[in-house]
Amino acid sequence: MSGAGDDAPVLRVEDLSVEFRVRGAWWPAVRGLSFVVARNETLALVGESGCGKSITALSVMGLVPRPQGRIGGGRILFEGRDVAAMPEAELERLRGDRMAMIFQEPMTSLNPVLSVGFQVSEALRVHRGIDAAAADAEALRLLEEVKIPSARRRFADYPHQFSGGMRQRVMIAMAIALKPALLLADEPTTALDVTIQAQVLGLLADLKSVQGMSMLFITHNLGVVAAIADRVAVMYAGEIVEVAPVARIFSAPVHPYTEALFRAIPRIDRAEQSLDAIGGQVPPIDRMPQGCRFAPRCPARRASCEASAQALVEVAPGHEVRCGVRAPAGAMAA
Amino acid sequence: MLWYVAKRLLAAMPTLVAVLTVVFVIVRIIPGDPALTVLGDQATPQALAALREKLGIDKPLLAQYLDFISAALTGDLGRSLVSGRPVINEVVAVLPHTLDLTISSLVLGTVLGVPLGVWAALRRNRLADYVIRIVSLVGLSFPVFVSGIFLLMVFALHYRLFPVIGTANLSDLGDRTWKLVLPTITLGLVMVAYITRVTRSAMLQVLSEDYVRTARAKGVPARLVIRRHALRNALIPVVTVVGLYLGINIGNSVLTEIVFNRPGLGKVIVTALNQRDYAMLQGLMVIYCFLIVVTNLLTDLAYGLIDPRVKQA
């Protein structure tokens, strides 16, 4: 479809900036963002609330809320085509077909006045133009695939008759209906109980291996990251501060923010501990520091940090860090 | 759905009996002796007693109540103290005129108001939205007797397109429709304004819901997202307002009826008030409440059609 080879990444984001209007001026909520998602790969996007994770996913889908938000610059190459420059009609053909998204809130993400079966079959009808009976049959198969108990009986039920975990399964069934190349999952388990969380994560991992899709998985839960991700990108205040394979980011985090994130997880193997919350807050969008955006909260801060913006520097193969102290430019580890 | 309809119908019955009870109590509370009101100060005690017996108000209160309820439930609402004709006949004679006007103005309001409201919501804070909001505010602020007289002056007197006198011959459909046009526009414009505003705010709220984003994420084309996913949810508050105004308009069309010289329920009520025709008023109150109960029933049924959650409850 794209003409690109099999080893070409499904998604390549280049220097993306997404801006929001605050008091009459446009401010970047995400800036200079670049990353790739390879075929069959799961990239986890990690960071605090408000760091731009969800906005990144919405940009890929072409769903940045307008008129208060807009893509300010950069390219989003999905299967070789720039989504950011695409007209809405063309985006509509991609959405739900080649790329799909699961949202955080299963309780409000389904339409209360349409039956669950219809909502699952809708994408099939819209994109494939197949008749209602065939779409319903396929939707039923999908509901069974995501393990909705007695799916046939519940096909015509409405969302309010489903629990949160079941609704998220319905959302997943909707998203995978057309076997997308890329699945964007925006904190799909955050609103669920821990046991249901594990089930949903297991389901996503199964589907991914069966269907061979790539996933951009957004979460602030590092336990979830360890369970599902191949690579991890840590975001802070609209920028990626560290990218590394999942094993490496857990064993050898470099950026002070990544370190701080890990220190903020309670450990079951230690008897006594004080949780280290990260002091301070993410700076507001219209008052970003000039230099390193984490500098005001950073324990390793030096005077030079606040002077100029930091660049992403490769410290090991596949491991990049945006920190002038820990990873100064031109100092790649052997 | 059938079960839901049956439940709603059953639930309407106690409401109706409660309404009848309240009407009964109100009429008994009103100071003064109805017999004295009818016959005047000069009446002999024998004449008064005879009339009281005829009206049934010499019986104990409970017996009067049971008489009233059982008569009302069989459609007997008593007779006018002035004309002596049964209340129900007076009402049936004018009800078609009232329903014509109420329903046609409501249809006009919905057919214009819903699309305008959706359009305004989609063009939020842009020119179309401002124009629609201002025009609907003007429409709401214009009293019916001003806009009605204005329409009469322009389209009945100056251009002579429509008749000045609105009493229609009910058996002549052409005549009935022709005489309905100006009153419908008069009353309908107010409805358009109301429905536009309600639809706009409901649409704005619904458009920011997560499920609208989900529908877009599925690749559903924008037009279908608006119609199938957003509008259907936005119609729930619109139905509430339409139902409310359907009820209110049955009684409130009186101004329009006077301006266009149409017969109607509103005019009958005003006449009965002016003549202090208590028996007539009691019957009219019952009819009016009955119509409101029916309207609410229809509104509930419409909810059931739109929102599956309602059928459950």
XYZ file of all heavy atoms in Angstrom, chain A residues 196-282:
651
model
N -8.563 -6.897 36.094
C -9.081 -6.656 34.744
C -7.968 -6.083 33.876
O -7.827 -6.422 32.699
C -10.272 -5.676 34.790
C -11.297 -6.089 35.840
C -10.915 -5.548 33.419
C -12.002 -7.381 35.545
N -7.144 -5.205 34.490
C -5.983 -4.644 33.793
C -5.117 -5.738 33.192
O -4.777 -5.706 32.013
C -5.113 -3.902 34.812
C -5.113 -2.419 34.660
C -4.162 -1.779 35.655
O -3.019 -2.193 35.816
N -4.644 -0.747 36.315
N -4.799 -6.744 34.015
C -3.928 -7.827 33.560
C -4.582 -8.577 32.405
O -3.930 -8.912 31.413
C -3.640 -8.774 34.720
N -5.904 -8.805 32.510
C -6.609 -9.504 31.432
C -6.550 -8.719 30.133
O -6.298 -9.267 29.063
C -8.079 -9.714 31.809
C -8.291 -10.731 32.918
C -9.742 -10.747 33.374
O -10.622 -10.224 32.691
N -9.989 -11.346 34.523
N -6.788 -7.411 30.235
C -6.807 -6.586 29.025
C -5.418 -6.520 28.398
O -5.263 -6.629 27.179
C -7.351 -5.173 29.348
C -7.124 -4.226 28.185
C -8.831 -5.252 29.679
N -4.385 -6.396 29.244
C -3.012 -6.379 28.722
C -2.685 -7.696 28.024
O -2.108 -7.722 26.937
C -2.012 -6.143 29.858
C -1.955 -4.729 30.405
C -0.922 -4.658 31.532
C -1.605 -3.742 29.311
N -3.100 -8.808 28.653
C -2.866 -10.116 28.052
C -3.566 -10.221 26.707
O -2.988 -10.703 25.723
N -4.790 -9.730 26.660
C -5.565 -9.761 25.424
C -4.859 -8.968 24.325
O -4.716 -9.440 23.187
C -6.959 -9.177 25.693
C -7.884 -9.031 24.498
C -8.235 -10.394 23.939
C -9.157 -8.291 24.909
N -4.382 -7.766 24.687
C -3.700 -6.931 23.692
C -2.438 -7.616 23.178
O -2.165 -7.617 21.973
C -3.347 -5.566 24.297
C -4.489 -4.559 24.377
C -4.058 -3.331 25.140
C -4.969 -4.178 22.982
N -1.673 -8.232 24.088
C -0.432 -8.910 23.685
C -0.751 -10.072 22.745
O -0.089 -10.258 21.718
C 0.310 -9.401 24.928
N -1.817 -10.847 23.067
C -2.225 -11.961 22.199
C -2.590 -11.456 20.814
O -2.127 -11.980 19.798
C -3.459 -12.668 22.789
C -3.096 -13.480 24.019
O -1.891 -13.614 24.289
O -4.024 -13.954 24.705
N -3.452 -10.441 20.788
C -3.941 -9.925 19.508
C -2.783 -9.422 18.665
O -2.734 -9.618 17.453
C -4.938 -8.784 19.740
C -6.270 -9.202 20.341
C -7.069 -7.976 20.740
C -7.058 -10.045 19.355
N -1.845 -8.771 19.346
C -0.708 -8.212 18.637
C 0.108 -9.323 17.991
O 0.488 -9.225 16.817
C 0.149 -7.422 19.622
C 1.232 -6.645 18.947
C 2.209 -6.074 19.952
C 3.530 -5.924 19.261
N 4.663 -6.226 20.094
N 0.346 -10.399 18.730
C 1.181 -11.458 18.152
C 0.424 -12.198 17.049
O 1.011 -12.623 16.061
C 1.653 -12.424 19.236
O 0.546 -13.084 19.803
N -0.902 -12.331 17.186
C -1.686 -13.023 16.158
C -1.801 -12.172 14.900
O -1.624 -12.653 13.782
C -3.092 -13.363 16.704
C -3.980 -13.905 15.590
C -2.975 -14.378 17.832
N -2.083 -10.874 15.077
C -2.364 -10.023 13.928
C -1.125 -9.336 13.372
O -1.174 -8.776 12.285
C -3.386 -8.947 14.304
C -4.713 -9.508 14.729
C -5.815 -8.500 14.586
O -5.555 -7.326 14.358
N -7.040 -8.949 14.712
N -0.058 -9.359 14.126
C 1.148 -8.703 13.666
C 0.981 -7.209 13.527
O 1.247 -6.631 12.478
N 0.480 -6.549 14.586
C 0.350 -5.097 14.472
C 1.360 -4.405 15.377
O 1.904 -5.000 16.310
C -1.075 -4.655 14.794
C -1.496 -4.809 16.197
S -3.272 -4.507 16.374
C -3.448 -5.024 18.073
N 1.595 -3.139 15.049
C 2.467 -2.331 15.890
C 1.590 -1.580 16.877
O 0.415 -1.353 16.626
C 3.235 -1.326 15.044
O 3.869 -1.986 13.988
N 2.195 -1.213 17.999
C 1.412 -0.532 19.005
C 2.172 0.660 19.574
O 3.372 0.560 19.831
C 1.077 -1.503 20.139
C -0.355 -1.391 20.539
S -0.914 -2.378 21.940
C -0.013 -3.846 21.957
N 1.452 1.770 19.712
C 1.981 2.893 20.470
C 1.179 2.903 21.757
O -0.025 3.174 21.749
C 1.807 4.204 19.704
C 2.359 5.447 20.398
C 3.863 5.352 20.541
C 1.997 6.707 19.636
N 1.831 2.554 22.845
C 1.124 2.316 24.096
C 1.438 3.445 25.069
O 2.578 3.615 25.493
C 1.562 0.964 24.668
C 0.628 0.421 25.695
C -0.295 -0.550 25.358
C 0.667 0.884 27.002
C -1.171 -1.057 26.313
C -0.216 0.392 27.950
C -1.132 -0.586 27.608
N 0.418 4.190 25.417
C 0.628 5.334 26.296
C 0.240 4.963 27.712
O -0.843 4.425 27.941
C -0.217 6.519 25.808
C 0.318 6.974 24.463
C -0.210 7.643 26.815
C -0.586 7.929 23.768
N 1.113 5.250 28.637
C 0.796 4.912 30.022
C 1.669 5.733 30.962
O 2.678 6.308 30.560
C 1.029 3.408 30.282
O 0.666 3.111 31.623
C 2.476 3.016 30.054
N 1.245 5.821 32.216
C 2.163 6.379 33.211
C 2.504 5.291 34.224
O 3.116 5.549 35.243
C 1.545 7.605 33.896
C 0.255 7.314 34.581
N -0.944 7.776 34.113
C -0.018 6.591 35.671
C -1.911 7.344 34.900
N -1.378 6.616 35.859
N 2.064 4.057 33.891
C 2.245 2.952 34.810
C 3.441 2.117 34.362
O 3.399 1.435 33.342
C 0.954 2.125 34.806
C 1.014 0.980 35.790
O 2.091 0.497 36.132
N -0.144 0.534 36.230
N 4.527 2.167 35.127
C 5.752 1.496 34.691
C 5.640 -0.018 34.770
O 6.319 -0.736 34.045
C 6.945 1.992 35.516
C 7.262 3.471 35.240
C 8.171 4.040 36.308
C 7.898 3.641 33.871
N 4.744 -0.513 35.625
C 4.507 -1.945 35.663
C 3.929 -2.427 34.335
O 4.306 -3.473 33.801
N 3.001 -1.640 33.793
C 2.409 -1.957 32.503
C 3.475 -1.915 31.412
O 3.522 -2.769 30.525
C 1.256 -0.972 32.198
C 0.773 -1.130 30.762
C 0.115 -1.179 33.172
N 4.373 -0.940 31.511
C 5.456 -0.811 30.533
C 6.283 -2.094 30.496
O 6.533 -2.668 29.439
C 6.367 0.381 30.886
C 7.606 0.384 30.002
C 5.601 1.679 30.740
N 6.672 -2.561 31.674
C 7.505 -3.761 31.754
C 6.772 -4.942 31.136
O 7.384 -5.818 30.516
C 7.847 -4.057 33.210
N 5.440 -4.982 31.269
C 4.683 -6.130 30.788
C 4.514 -6.136 29.276
O 4.422 -7.190 28.666
C 3.307 -6.148 31.462
N 4.483 -4.977 28.647
C 4.006 -4.971 27.268
C 4.973 -4.362 26.247
O 4.891 -4.672 25.059
C 2.623 -4.258 27.200
C 1.872 -4.727 25.948
C 2.757 -2.746 27.241
C 0.397 -4.523 26.033
N 5.919 -3.506 26.699
C 6.665 -2.707 25.727
C 7.911 -3.413 25.198
O 8.513 -4.254 25.878
C 7.060 -1.376 26.357
N 8.300 -3.067 23.951
C 9.607 -3.448 23.421
C 10.605 -2.324 23.673
O 11.727 -2.547 24.082
C 9.525 -3.721 21.918
C 8.588 -4.883 21.615
O 8.719 -5.926 22.269
O 7.715 -4.733 20.738
N 10.149 -1.099 23.383
C 10.988 0.067 23.638
C 10.168 1.074 24.424
O 8.935 1.025 24.419
C 11.438 0.702 22.311
C 12.553 -0.095 21.615
C 13.165 0.719 20.483
N 12.170 1.215 19.585
C 12.061 2.501 19.232
N 12.886 3.409 19.711
N 11.123 2.882 18.393
N 10.868 1.986 25.075
C 10.199 2.970 25.910
C 10.689 4.368 25.540
O 11.893 4.574 25.368
C 10.483 2.718 27.408
C 9.790 3.759 28.269
C 10.059 1.316 27.814
N 9.775 5.303 25.383
C 10.136 6.710 25.226
C 9.564 7.462 26.411
O 8.374 7.394 26.672
C 9.574 7.262 23.916
N 10.429 8.136 27.140
C 9.978 8.900 28.301
C 9.773 10.345 27.868
O 10.665 10.955 27.273
C 11.018 8.830 29.439
C 10.530 9.633 30.647
C 11.292 7.386 29.825
N 8.567 10.871 28.139
C 8.283 12.260 27.751
C 8.216 13.146 28.976
O 7.726 12.743 30.035
C 6.944 12.339 27.013
C 7.010 11.907 25.566
S 5.437 12.202 24.737
C 5.555 13.953 24.389
N 8.717 14.374 28.804
C 8.547 15.365 29.859
C 8.243 16.708 29.209
O 8.996 17.164 28.345
C 9.803 15.473 30.734
C 9.621 16.478 31.843
C 8.935 16.120 32.996
C 10.078 17.783 31.707
C 8.706 17.038 33.995
C 9.855 18.711 32.710
C 9.168 18.342 33.857
O 8.937 19.258 34.837
N 7.157 17.316 29.624
C 6.786 18.659 29.155
C 6.844 18.774 27.635
O 7.376 19.730 27.092
C 7.658 19.722 29.810
N 6.305 17.769 26.949
C 6.169 17.875 25.498
C 7.380 17.430 24.704
O 7.394 17.554 23.482
N 8.415 16.927 25.399
C 9.613 16.472 24.698
C 9.957 15.051 25.130
O 9.664 14.649 26.259
C 10.820 17.356 25.050
C 10.755 18.748 24.503
C 11.975 19.568 24.934
O 12.563 19.282 26.006
O 12.329 20.477 24.196
N 10.620 14.319 24.227
C 11.161 13.029 24.650
C 12.490 13.308 25.349
O 13.353 14.013 24.816
C 11.371 12.096 23.446
C 10.000 11.623 22.938
C 12.236 10.896 23.832
C 10.060 10.673 21.787
N 12.647 12.798 26.578
C 13.901 13.028 27.287
C 14.791 11.794 27.268
O 15.995 11.886 27.481
C 13.670 13.498 28.749
C 13.002 14.870 28.761
C 12.853 12.495 29.533
N 14.190 10.621 27.026
C 15.005 9.409 26.965
C 14.256 8.328 26.190
O 13.057 8.152 26.373
C 15.328 8.906 28.391
C 16.260 7.698 28.405
C 16.964 7.512 29.754
O 16.602 8.207 30.722
O 17.882 6.673 29.824
N 14.982 7.645 25.302
C 14.423 6.503 24.577
C 15.383 5.340 24.730
O 16.589 5.522 24.570
C 14.297 6.776 23.062
C 13.525 5.656 22.384
C 13.663 8.100 22.795
N 14.850 4.147 25.011
C 15.731 2.986 25.131
C 14.899 1.718 25.047
O 13.686 1.755 25.280
C 16.483 3.031 26.458
N 15.533 0.584 24.732
C 14.829 -0.693 24.831
C 14.368 -0.898 26.264
O 14.985 -0.378 27.208
C 15.900 -1.728 24.445
C 16.913 -0.963 23.663
C 16.911 0.417 24.223
N 13.293 -1.660 26.434
C 12.652 -1.723 27.741
C 13.588 -2.264 28.828
O 13.632 -1.723 29.941
C 11.326 -2.530 27.670
C 11.566 -3.988 27.300
C 10.543 -2.408 28.954
N 14.382 -3.287 28.498
C 15.264 -3.857 29.517
C 16.281 -2.818 29.977
O 16.600 -2.702 31.159
C 15.982 -5.092 28.964
N 16.766 -2.047 29.010
C 17.812 -1.092 29.325
C 17.285 0.072 30.166
O 17.968 0.547 31.089
C 18.437 -0.571 28.037
C 19.659 0.253 28.328
C 20.566 0.463 27.158
N 21.496 1.511 27.507
C 22.714 1.296 27.996
N 23.162 0.061 28.117
N 23.490 2.303 28.326
N 16.070 0.511 29.881
C 15.586 1.667 30.629
C 15.318 1.294 32.084
O 15.431 2.117 32.989
C 14.346 2.293 29.963
C 14.253 3.772 30.340
C 13.055 1.609 30.397
C 13.882 4.653 29.218
N 14.997 0.009 32.312
C 14.804 -0.417 33.695
C 16.138 -0.637 34.398
O 16.269 -0.363 35.579
C 13.959 -1.698 33.746
C 12.477 -1.432 33.688
C 11.811 -1.356 32.480
C 11.762 -1.217 34.856
C 10.451 -1.095 32.433
C 10.392 -0.949 34.827
C 9.736 -0.888 33.600
N 17.149 -1.127 33.631
C 18.417 -1.461 34.292
C 19.360 -0.269 34.352
O 20.095 -0.115 35.319
C 19.096 -2.628 33.562
O 19.422 -2.228 32.238
N 19.339 0.575 33.308
C 20.318 1.655 33.287
C 19.711 2.966 32.803
O 20.090 3.485 31.756
C 21.502 1.256 32.399
N 18.753 3.503 33.542
C 18.210 4.804 33.131
C 19.275 5.879 33.291
O 20.087 5.798 34.219
C 17.052 5.018 34.101
C 17.389 4.201 35.302
C 18.165 3.027 34.806
N 19.281 6.851 32.378
C 20.317 7.872 32.422
C 19.740 9.231 32.826
O 20.279 9.921 33.686
C 21.026 7.973 31.051
C 21.980 9.159 31.045
C 21.768 6.675 30.759
N 18.623 9.603 32.236
C 18.090 10.942 32.493
C 17.603 11.059 33.941
O 16.971 10.133 34.465
C 16.932 11.220 31.536
C 16.599 12.676 31.428
N 15.866 13.329 32.373
C 16.927 13.600 30.488
C 15.730 14.603 32.023
N 16.373 14.793 30.880
N 17.908 12.161 34.591
C 17.464 12.325 35.985
C 15.946 12.191 36.139
O 15.468 11.692 37.164
C 17.906 13.753 36.325
C 19.005 14.060 35.357
C 18.705 13.298 34.109
N 15.185 12.580 35.114
C 13.728 12.465 35.211
C 13.307 11.001 35.191
O 12.445 10.587 35.974
C 13.060 13.227 34.064
C 11.558 13.097 34.074
C 10.811 13.648 35.111
C 10.886 12.404 33.075
C 9.442 13.518 35.158
C 9.515 12.262 33.107
C 8.797 12.824 34.143
O 7.439 12.691 34.186
N 13.929 10.209 34.303
C 13.613 8.776 34.254
C 13.939 8.134 35.602
O 13.138 7.369 36.153
C 14.437 8.094 33.145
O 14.396 8.895 31.973
C 13.906 6.715 32.842
N 15.109 8.474 36.129
C 15.499 7.950 37.445
C 14.459 8.297 38.497
O 14.041 7.453 39.286
C 16.837 8.557 37.873
C 18.039 7.874 37.274
C 19.326 8.489 37.829
O 19.253 9.565 38.462
O 20.384 7.879 37.623
N 14.049 9.544 38.477
C 13.081 10.004 39.472
C 11.761 9.248 39.327
O 11.133 8.876 40.324
C 12.845 11.510 39.310
N 11.350 8.986 38.069
C 10.123 8.222 37.844
C 10.221 6.853 38.487
O 9.287 6.382 39.139
C 9.896 8.027 36.339
C 9.094 9.045 35.547
C 8.873 8.529 34.135
C 7.758 9.319 36.210
N 11.363 6.195 38.308
C 11.517 4.863 38.873
C 11.555 4.903 40.392
O 11.063 4.000 41.052
C 12.785 4.181 38.329
C 12.602 3.660 36.934
C 13.210 4.272 35.851
C 11.783 2.568 36.710
C 13.016 3.796 34.575
C 11.580 2.095 35.427
C 12.203 2.715 34.353
N 12.132 5.955 40.935
C 12.183 6.048 42.397
C 10.799 6.291 42.983
O 10.588 6.054 44.168
C 13.145 7.159 42.821
C 14.588 6.684 42.930
C 15.377 7.589 43.854
N 15.260 8.986 43.483
C 16.033 9.573 42.579
N 16.981 8.893 41.970
N 15.866 10.839 42.286
N 9.892 6.742 42.150
C 8.549 7.022 42.657
C 7.657 5.776 42.651
O 6.485 5.851 42.970
C 7.901 8.138 41.823
N 8.198 4.616 42.270
C 7.411 3.374 42.312
C 7.669 2.682 43.639
O 8.819 2.504 44.032
C 7.856 2.372 41.217
C 8.056 3.071 39.888
C 6.879 1.214 41.117
C 8.632 2.138 38.834
N 6.635 2.269 44.345
C 6.860 1.510 45.579
C 7.461 0.146 45.265
O 7.126 -0.465 44.257
C 5.457 1.378 46.167
C 4.514 1.679 45.062
C 5.240 2.490 44.057
N 8.375 -0.336 46.095
C 9.022 -1.632 45.852
C 8.524 -2.638 46.863
O 8.561 -2.405 48.068
C 10.549 -1.474 45.993
C 11.164 -0.564 44.955
C 11.591 -1.328 43.726
N 12.519 -2.394 44.033
C 13.826 -2.339 43.766
N 14.348 -1.270 43.211
N 14.593 -3.362 44.048
N 8.112 -3.793 46.364
C 7.553 -4.794 47.263
C 8.654 -5.547 48.000
O 8.434 -6.155 49.045
C 6.656 -5.760 46.465
C 5.664 -6.458 47.404
C 7.469 -6.776 45.682
C 4.549 -7.140 46.659
N 9.901 -5.475 47.466
C 10.989 -6.264 48.047
C 11.768 -5.502 49.110
O 12.784 -5.958 49.581
C 11.930 -6.756 46.935
C 12.481 -5.613 46.104
O 11.897 -4.505 46.196
O 13.464 -5.808 45.370
N 11.312 -4.317 49.458
C 12.018 -3.591 50.518
C 11.061 -3.328 51.664
O 9.917 -2.922 51.458
C 12.545 -2.263 49.985
C 13.676 -2.496 48.991
C 14.463 -1.231 48.774
N 15.310 -1.421 47.612
C 15.590 -0.454 46.755
N 15.086 0.755 46.932
N 16.367 -0.686 45.732
N 11.554 -3.577 52.865
C 10.692 -3.459 54.025
C 10.327 -2.009 54.300
O 9.162 -1.655 54.412
C 11.401 -4.059 55.235
N 11.347 -1.181 54.398
C 11.090 0.212 54.742
C 11.532 1.098 53.605
O 12.590 0.899 53.029
C 11.940 0.603 55.958
C 11.234 0.471 57.263
C 12.223 0.744 58.380
O 12.900 1.793 58.301
O 12.316 -0.086 59.292
N 10.735 2.021 53.291
C 11.153 2.926 52.228
C 10.299 4.179 52.293
O 9.168 4.167 52.758
C 11.010 2.259 50.874
C 9.589 1.764 50.629
C 9.509 0.886 49.407
O 10.130 1.161 48.403
N 8.740 -0.172 49.486
N 10.900 5.245 51.821
C 10.086 6.437 51.631
C 10.000 6.644 50.125
O 10.996 6.561 49.417
C 10.746 7.644 52.299
O 12.019 7.845 51.728
N 8.777 6.829 49.661
C 8.601 7.051 48.233
C 9.109 8.429 47.883
O 8.810 9.398 48.568
C 7.120 6.951 47.859
C 6.598 5.543 47.661
C 5.151 5.627 47.212
C 7.424 4.798 46.639
N 9.897 8.507 46.802
C 10.396 9.802 46.395
C 9.461 10.414 45.365
O 9.481 10.041 44.198
C 11.796 9.652 45.784
C 12.803 9.276 46.851
O 12.605 9.716 48.009
O 13.750 8.542 46.548
N 8.631 11.306 45.825
C 7.835 12.051 44.859
C 8.766 13.064 44.207
O 9.745 13.494 44.814
C 6.688 12.758 45.559
N 8.474 13.415 42.954
C 9.295 14.412 42.285
C 8.787 15.785 42.709
O 7.600 16.086 42.569
C 9.191 14.260 40.759
C 9.535 12.824 40.363
C 10.108 15.258 40.064
C 9.333 12.520 38.902
N 9.679 16.599 43.275
C 9.266 17.911 43.753
C 8.832 18.814 42.621
O 9.247 18.642 41.481
N 7.971 19.744 42.942
C 7.556 20.720 41.935
C 6.543 20.152 40.965
O 6.009 19.066 41.166
N 6.255 20.911 39.910
C 5.250 20.518 38.926
C 5.771 20.749 37.525
O 6.714 21.507 37.326
C 3.987 21.392 39.077
C 3.244 21.159 40.358
C 2.258 22.261 40.625
O 2.277 23.294 39.952
N 1.408 22.053 41.600
N 5.096 20.089 36.562
C 5.407 20.364 35.165
C 5.076 21.833 34.909
O 4.001 22.293 35.290
C 4.556 19.470 34.238
C 4.904 19.717 32.780
C 4.767 18.015 34.594
